[in-house]
Amino acid sequence: MDKTYNPQNYEDKIYQKWEKSGFFNPDNLNLSKNAPTYTIILPPPNITAKLHLGHSAMLAIEDLMIRYHRMKGYQTLWLPGTDHAAIATQNAVEKKIFKERGITRHDLGKEKLLEEIWKFLKQTQATILRQTRKMGASLDWSREAFTLDEQRKKAVAQMFVDMYEAGIIYKGERIVNWCPRCHSTLADDEIEYKEQKAILYFFKYSKDFPFIIATTRPETKLGDTAVAVNPKDKRYKKYIGKIYKINFCEIPLKLKIIANREVDMNFGTGVLGVTPAHSMADWKMAEENNLEIKKVINEEGKIYKGFNEFSNKTTTQAREIIIKKLKEQNLLEKQEEINNNLSICYRCGASIEPLPSKQWFISVDKKIKKLGNKSLKEKAIEVAEKEEIKFIPERFKKRYLDWMENLRDWCISRQIWFGHEIPVYYRKQEIYVGVKKPESKNWTQDPDTLDTWFSSGMWTFSTLGWPDNFKKNKKSGDLLKFHPTQILETGYEILTLWVSRMIMMSLFALQEIPFENVYLHGMILDKNGKKMSKSKGNGIDPINMIEKFGADAVRLSMLIGSTPGNDSRLSEEKIEGFKKFINKLWNIARYILSNVKCQMLNVKYQNLTLADEWILNKFNNLIKKINDDLKKYNFSQAGEKLRKFTWDDFADWYLEISKFEKNEEKNEILFYILKNLLKLWHPFIPFVTEIIWQEIKTNNLLMIEKWPTVSNKFTNINIDNFEIIKNIISAIRNARSENKIEPSKKIKTIICTEKYVALIEKNKELIKNLKTNINELEIKKSCDVKTQDDRVIRIIIDDIEIYLIDAKDKEKEQARINKKIIELEKLIFNLKRKLLNKEFINKAPANIVENEKEKLKLYQTELKNLKL
RNA sequence: GCGCGUUUAGCUCAGUUGGUUAGAGCGUCUCGUUUACACCGAGAAGGUCGGGGGUUCAAAUCCCUCAGCGCGCACCA
């Protein structure tokens, strides 16, 4: 073993060894059929780019849970895959070919573009899978899936057909969010908002119209068919119901004055021009009032034909002309700058145009027989409310429910080329919906593709063999064995986008939940708390970090110091710190393996020293705590406890003691703790632990070793005596450091209260040897000491007085004592007051009162001694 | 506008149902080249737990309120 641990030399080899072993696949674990299963389906990364730190966090957390359960004896399946990310991928490729060749997708044509996309996809997909392996992820590659492979195509088509036949999928005309750049619809939550300044124009449609309206989009007013006012608004009450026929910029409009409670009397003039075709709210008003729907803007973002000079102009051009005309006709009252939230496409940033369009929808409100006559929405709410699905952290349940309750029908068709084709075929007036294209001629398929979340919504069961494994409403094969899965672990930002869809899709297809728990991790921010992004250049590349510090260090930096659902900051320094820890673990193992003959004998643990008992107690309690923390998803705390034990207790104390305190069983204890410590660490840092395990030359892989069990024999040992010795040693070290006792003037004598003489005498060697710089040592009773002696340093540890002979700096010591006295007086004052309080005495638990009383006594003796 | 989160040491963050003197890592300072490790060891300094009020014998923890920061949803004519 090298002096320092160099991850590059080992990681790839170890990963290959794991993969070859076949144990990533639960079928090879040789477990009984009754062994419980534990399944996580990996959230498939988009194949648009390489791995980022969010993925690393996801992989670290999931691999931790997976490896832990595998070692605990579960049939553990972690199923990998990638997502075709329809719009995102097509955009990425379109950008690429435009940059490289200056051509658009329309120049290229559908077939060629798809060819390009598949070429691109193969590359990025391979990169992502290679990078996932670099993280040490123990995924079952034999079950790998892609959201757009043959099996998933089959599942998606079947799902569409089933939903269509159940009347859940329908085609309808609605206002949709249209991205003129992507030429496609977007779902409500695919929209982002950007705050910006906008101009609010106040004007009259024409001279003969009675009042002024205000709008930020004058060009849409060409399609107004009504004007809405608040029914309570006294200014306009008398106009309600009237109809005006006017000319607005030479375009004839027929406007009905309607009342609507949602009109804000204080915004603008309190009058709202209703444009049913280009506003979601106005569409609703149109439905309620039977208004005519007049389309103004087409799918190119241009004005339709039939609007005179405006036709074929862009919205911006049209707006300019209208403003000019209004000014000429003296109809423009004023302009005001306001803050406005612009809707933009989450992919390309172009501003969204709401337009009416014929699209495919999934109804969330239609009652479904096989769901007990409940709708998808109702059922999806029910499973969360009844806690069939639990959220970690819990607060996300509320966010999920809020979103679900306000959910509208989900528009699933997209006007892009890359994606799942819609299994709908047309022939003149006929329509056919089926998994396979009808054999007779002249059928053409629906040109649209499906929203990428449609296929990823089916991810938990499409990967487990649905629909083949689901005949006559009965699960079989993998689907029977592994569904519902135990946990879905993902970033909270896709809670609504993805998690909710998965729940609805699974409920519809299988009438069961897709997962029992949803664990949501936070975002990884840079060290200034900013989101990492390519454009800002503040991103940390995980692969780069793995090369520099090793995968284990990267994993630890994701797991320790962050809590579920909260964002966390990451810096190179943090990762570097964990690399140091890994090196420490490496050296602990190196020391033990080179100094200790390691063989697991049947040790009886009979001649144990204080230190032996102490470390065995600590270790067995550690196992208990780790189990507890992992059960509660407190990964960070589990990691910190492990680190504390490994570094502070095991390395700094026990290993040091083992260098001189020899007894028969020491080797066995060292070896026992090392072996089991490696097991506890394995889910966190699989590489280094496995490499050390291989150095021990065991025949098995650590990956499939049994998780350590707690030995109750040691958990209840009293370790107070060792703690006392530890404190004495610390106090001596402290005195050395604080008072600068010169090495030449050696401490020879410890004088203490009678009660402890025997204990300290017995552990004299320990005290001498543990970096206290003491060669000779005699222990005396405290009644013998001359406290007036200048050379005496008095240390009080709990109720033990210790006098160290030979102090150099008297003043410093006095200052220290004075400070301590003040502290003690304060504590005693507070304690006395507390103990005089009758309510405390009567109401607080007896042990706590007792505790306080003892404490008071202790402080008082300590104070007395100090004041001497 | 509604909702959620957050505010703890110089920095980054823990703190599990209220209960010893509020913890860790990094940073700072002091000392130390003892053959596992200088990617090390031994110590120290540093906090009125965002402000105010309340409940309780007891509050970082529960309630109210105010403020800063972040996020989600809605509005956006």
Side-chain angles (χ1 to χ4, degrees):
Chain A
M1 287 172 90
D2 297 331
K3 201 170 168 183
T4 46
Y5 169 60
N6 185 359
Q8 265 76 18
N9 299 345
Y10 304 96
E11 287 184 351
D12 289 348
K13 277 181 222 157
I14 286 289
Y15 194 88
Q16 280 168 21
K17 199 164 179 176
W18 286 333
E19 205 174 338
K20 267 188 203 154
S21 76
F23 294 128
F24 289 170
N25 182 341
D27 303 338
N28 298 333
L29 287 172
N30 297 322
L31 295 167
S32 92
K33 277 184 184 170
N34 302 324
T37 59
Y38 188 85
T39 311
I40 301 177
I41 311 288
L42 178 79
N46 286 354
I47 41 90
T48 43
K50 52 189 181 175
L51 227 60
H52 55 70
L53 280 171
H55 294 123
S56 307
M58 166 182 91
L59 292 169
I61 293 167
E62 291 178 25
D63 198 34
L64 164 60
M65 293 191 269
I66 286 291
R67 285 181 187 269
Y68 171 63
H69 282 92
R70 191 184 288 124
M71 290 172 85
K72 279 225 147 190
Y74 286 73
Q75 303 190 62
T76 310
L77 171 64
W78 189 19
L79 198 150
T82 43
D83 193 315
H84 69 288
I87 294 184
T89 306
Q90 181 168 323
N91 275 350
V93 173
E94 277 187 59
K95 252 186 214 165
K96 194 173 151 237
I97 57 173
F98 189 79
K99 202 176 158 193
E100 286 169 3
R101 289 180 255 168
I103 52 175
T104 68
R105 69 158 145 157
H106 300 287
D107 300 331
L108 209 59
K110 182 171 173 177
E111 261 179 50
K112 289 267 182 189
L113 182 82
L114 286 178
E115 256 175 50
E116 289 290 332
I117 290 175
W118 279 97
K119 229 164 54 188
F120 169 85
L121 188 159
K122 289 284 173 218
Q123 270 181 16
T124 49
Q125 197 176 36
T127 308
I128 282 170
L129 297 176
R130 200 175 54 242
Q131 293 179 330
T132 304
R133 286 177 164 89
K134 279 263 174 202
M135 279 294 292
S138 56
L139 288 152
D140 180 5
W141 296 104
S142 72
R143 286 179 165 89
E144 186 193 330
F146 176 50
T147 55
L148 194 58
D149 60 17
E150 287 311 312
Q151 183 60 35
R152 261 44 67 177
K153 278 184 187 167
K154 187 172 159 188
V156 163
Q158 187 64 52
M159 188 77 175
F160 189 99
V161 172
D162 289 353
M163 290 184 118
Y164 180 82
E165 282 170 1
I168 297 300
I169 285 184
Y170 67 95
K171 197 171 196 177
E173 183 157 55
R174 288 290 167 78
I175 297 256
V176 294
N177 307 299
W178 181 264
C179 173
R181 225 287 308 150
C182 300
H183 265 247
S184 180
T185 53
L186 290 170
D188 292 344
D189 41 32
E190 285 175 320
I191 292 170
E192 282 177 2
Y193 300 97
K194 200 170 87 184
E195 179 126 326
Q196 58 152 38
K197 299 272 181 221
I199 296 169
L200 187 64
Y201 300 94
F202 290 73
F203 65 91
K204 272 189 185 176
Y205 289 101
S206 72
K207 282 191 183 109
D208 37 0
F209 193 72
F211 32 74
I212 293 169
I213 64 157
T215 181
T216 54
R217 301 204 57 192
E219 69 277 14
T220 63
K221 300 293 106 185
L222 298 169
D224 283 10
T225 52
V227 161
V229 297
N230 193 300
K232 287 182 189 162
D233 199 329
K234 286 174 188 162
R235 292 174 290 179
Y236 308 114
K237 220 168 185 170
K238 57 183 173 189
Y239 298 104
I240 294 170
K242 288 190 176 168
I243 291 174
Y244 291 84
K245 284 184 183 173
I246 45 126
N247 272 319
F248 170 58
C249 298
E250 288 93 52
I251 305 293
L253 297 183
K254 187 178 153 196
L255 300 167
K256 188 179 178 188
I257 315 294
I258 59 168
N260 190 295
R261 281 193 315 187
E262 294 198 7
V263 176
D264 182 351
M265 290 189 277
N266 300 317
F267 188 90
T269 56
V271 186
L272 159 66
V274 180
T275 323
H278 300 290
S279 153
M280 216 72 87
D282 296 6
W283 177 273
K284 262 190 231 160
M285 291 187 211
E287 277 184 336
E288 287 161 16
N289 294 282
N290 273 327
L291 299 174
E292 189 197 341
I293 291 157
K294 208 164 140 194
K295 296 184 193 178
V296 181
I297 300 160
N298 69 15
E299 299 176 346
E300 310 286 329
K302 289 182 178 166
I303 308 294
Y304 269 108
K305 281 179 191 165
F307 288 97
N308 301 347
E309 63 189 295
F310 301 109
S311 297
N312 218 25
K313 295 275 188 323
T314 66
T315 49
T316 334
Q317 289 165 341
R319 182 182 305 180
E320 282 165 9
I321 301 172
I322 287 173
I323 296 306
K324 202 176 140 207
K325 282 187 179 267
L326 287 172
K327 276 182 183 164
E328 282 167 8
Q329 295 171 31
N330 228 354
L331 292 169
L332 187 67
E333 166 94 354
K334 60 173 176 175
Q335 304 181 16
E336 256 177 27
E337 202 179 55
I338 59 160
N339 285 325
N340 191 14
N341 257 338
L342 185 68
S343 312
I344 56 171
C345 170
Y346 83 129
R347 281 299 164 197
C348 71
S351 76
I352 298 297
E353 203 62 67
L355 318 162
S357 171
K358 276 216 154 178
Q359 300 290 340
W360 289 99
F361 289 89
I362 289 182
S363 166
V364 293
D365 293 313
K366 190 179 161 76
K367 310 282 183 196
I368 300 168
K369 258 192 190 165
K370 57 186 177 180
L371 289 181
N373 232 8
K374 285 181 178 146
S375 68
L376 284 178
K377 183 194 270 188
E378 288 164 340
K379 198 69 193 169
I381 289 170
E382 184 186 298
V383 293
E385 274 177 348
K386 287 192 175 165
E387 306 238 317
E388 285 172 45
I389 297 177
K390 291 195 188 88
F391 290 85
I392 303 138
E394 234 172 321
R395 68 184 134 95
F396 284 101
K397 175 178 164 184
K398 190 173 159 51
R399 193 184 282 191
Y400 169 82
L401 286 174
D402 283 351
W403 188 82
M404 258 302 165
E405 276 154 14
N406 294 318
L407 189 62
R408 290 180 301 184
D409 286 359
W410 170 21
C411 173
I412 51 168
S413 41
R414 296 288 181 276
Q415 291 64 50
I416 54 170
W417 294 338
F418 180 58
H420 281 279
E421 293 176 337
I422 294 180
V424 175
Y425 304 86
Y426 305 98
R427 186 170 66 179
K428 290 179 186 167
Q429 298 310 309
E430 284 176 277
I431 176 166
Y432 172 82
V433 178
V435 175
K436 280 183 190 154
K437 188 175 179 175
E439 277 172 21
S440 48
K441 284 181 182 174
N442 296 328
W443 288 95
T444 51
Q445 189 165 9
D446 193 302
D448 288 354
T449 51
L450 287 170
D451 178 10
T452 186
W453 300 106
F454 188 94
S455 55
S456 33
M458 302 169 60
W459 193 234
T460 60
F461 53 93
S462 71
T463 51
L464 293 174
W466 190 91
D468 299 343
N469 282 342
F470 194 69
K471 297 282 184 254
K472 293 178 187 164
N473 254 19
K474 269 195 174 162
K475 297 190 284 181
S476 62
D478 276 1
L479 194 63
L480 175 65
K481 200 164 170 185
F482 300 109
H483 205 275
T485 64
Q486 272 55 58
I487 195 155
L488 174 81
E489 192 282 339
T490 189
Y492 66 77
E493 70 275 12
I494 52 173
L495 174 67
T496 51
L497 223 44
W498 188 39
V499 178
S500 59
R501 266 69 185 264
M502 289 175 93
I503 294 174
M504 289 191 287
M505 297 293 249
S506 175
L507 285 172
F508 180 83
L510 299 163
Q511 296 88 56
E512 72 179 18
I513 50 171
F515 31 71
E516 293 160 1
N517 300 285
V518 180
Y519 177 105
L520 296 156
H521 65 249
M523 281 191 300
I524 311 281
L525 308 172
D526 74 0
K527 61 178 168 186
N528 300 315
K530 293 273 178 321
K531 219 171 174 173
M532 291 187 186
S533 73
K534 261 191 220 159
S535 53
K536 278 187 209 149
N538 61 347
I540 295 180
D541 177 7
I543 296 307
N544 205 323
M545 293 299 108
I546 289 176
E547 277 163 13
K548 220 163 160 183
F549 305 112
D552 291 329
V554 172
R555 290 170 64 120
L556 272 191
S557 67
M558 303 286 151
L559 294 168
I560 295 185
S562 62
T563 40
N566 292 329
D567 297 345
S568 63
R569 300 182 187 195
L570 187 77
S571 59
E572 262 196 65
E573 293 79 38
K574 187 173 173 186
I575 306 174
E576 199 182 351
F578 286 112
K579 196 206 152 148
K580 286 183 184 174
F581 170 75
I582 298 203
N583 191 57
K584 182 77 183 179
L585 181 65
W586 175 260
N587 271 293
I588 290 169
R590 194 160 74 96
Y591 173 74
I592 295 175
L593 295 181
S594 61
N595 285 283
V596 167
K597 277 177 209 155
C598 296
Q599 39 188 324
M600 280 306 242
L601 302 170
N602 251 343
V603 183
K604 286 170 191 153
Y605 297 117
Q606 274 169 348
N607 303 312
L608 298 181
T609 65
L610 278 186
D612 297 337
E613 286 181 343
W614 173 77
I615 200 74
L616 287 166
N617 172 285
K618 283 255 170 182
F619 185 65
N620 278 285
N621 279 315
L622 177 74
I623 301 174
K624 250 190 200 170
K625 286 182 198 155
I626 299 301
N627 282 335
D628 209 45
D629 279 341
L630 292 184
K631 211 195 254 168
K632 291 180 190 160
Y633 306 97
N634 289 335
F635 306 131
S636 176
Q637 297 212 47
E640 276 186 42
K641 280 170 195 159
L642 273 168
R643 175 171 60 179
K644 198 172 160 52
F645 175 85
T646 309
W647 205 318
D648 298 353
D649 297 338
F650 192 48
D652 289 345
W653 285 97
Y654 193 71
L655 234 51
E656 291 303 322
I657 292 170
S658 78
K659 285 178 184 171
F660 59 87
E661 188 180 79
K662 306 278 181 193
N663 66 334
E664 288 171 11
E665 283 152 346
K666 199 88 51 311
N667 287 355
E668 300 305 329
I669 295 171
L670 284 172
F671 193 50
Y672 158 80
I673 291 183
L674 176 66
K675 273 185 87 165
N676 286 291
L677 192 57
L678 289 174
K679 291 182 194 171
L680 295 182
W681 268 122
H682 183 71
F684 293 81
I685 42 175
F687 285 112
V688 69
T689 48
E690 185 74 76
I691 294 156
I692 296 169
W693 192 261
Q694 299 305 315
E695 292 287 337
I696 297 175
K697 297 202 173 61
T698 44
N699 293 322
N700 293 328
L701 286 170
L702 177 57
M703 185 181 116
I704 51 159
E705 278 291 315
K706 285 235 161 62
W707 189 254
T709 48
V710 180
S711 166
N712 286 321
K713 194 174 157 190
F714 299 116
T715 49
N716 295 322
I717 298 178
N718 187 321
I719 54 168
D720 290 350
N721 279 346
F722 186 78
E723 294 290 347
I724 287 169
I725 300 295
K726 239 182 105 190
N727 285 342
I728 291 171
I729 292 167
S730 295
I732 296 170
R733 287 169 175 174
N734 183 352
R736 280 255 178 235
S737 173
E738 287 261 295
N739 299 289
K740 295 184 189 172
I741 299 173
E742 285 173 21
S744 58
K745 296 188 177 175
K746 299 238 156 83
I747 293 171
K748 275 189 186 163
T749 318
I750 288 183
I751 304 169
C752 67
T753 26
E754 193 167 358
K755 200 169 148 193
Y756 294 99
V757 172
L759 173 67
I760 297 174
E761 182 69 44
K762 202 177 157 193
N763 291 282
K764 208 164 131 180
E765 290 305 305
L766 227 152
I767 294 170
K768 266 167 62 181
N769 284 308
L770 269 179
K771 296 174 186 171
T772 49
N773 217 351
I774 296 175
N775 293 331
E776 292 172 57
L777 188 62
E778 54 176 331
I779 321 287
K780 287 183 181 168
K781 290 181 206 167
S782 59
C783 48
D784 300 336
V785 78
K786 293 170 197 160
T787 47
Q788 290 85 354
D789 189 336
D790 276 356
R791 298 176 311 131
V792 174
I793 311 170
R794 184 192 293 107
I795 306 172
I796 312 282
I797 308 144
D798 296 332
D799 56 341
I800 312 171
E801 300 166 48
I802 296 190
Y803 300 87
L804 305 174
I805 309 300
D806 203 339
K808 200 189 166 200
D809 194 337
K810 211 176 133 193
E811 262 176 44
K812 241 186 182 174
E813 174 62 10
Q814 195 56 50
R816 220 176 73 87
I817 291 175
N818 288 342
K819 201 174 161 190
K820 185 93 188 177
I821 287 176
I822 293 169
E823 261 175 46
L824 278 172
E825 278 174 344
K826 213 165 120 190
L827 284 171
I828 290 170
F829 178 77
N830 286 332
L831 269 179
K832 272 186 180 167
R833 211 170 57 172
K834 200 170 180 182
L835 287 166
L836 281 173
N837 190 328
K838 277 181 192 166
E839 284 181 276
F840 173 69
I841 303 293
N842 295 335
K843 291 185 186 174
N847 61 326
I848 289 195
V849 177
E850 245 350 270
N851 219 325
E852 301 289 81
K853 277 184 186 166
E854 270 177 40
K855 228 164 50 189
L856 180 65
K857 241 196 242 166
L858 226 91
Y859 293 157
Q860 281 172 336
T861 37
E862 198 173 319
L863 186 66
K864 217 165 85 189
N865 288 326
L866 276 176
K867 277 185 171 171
L868 268 179

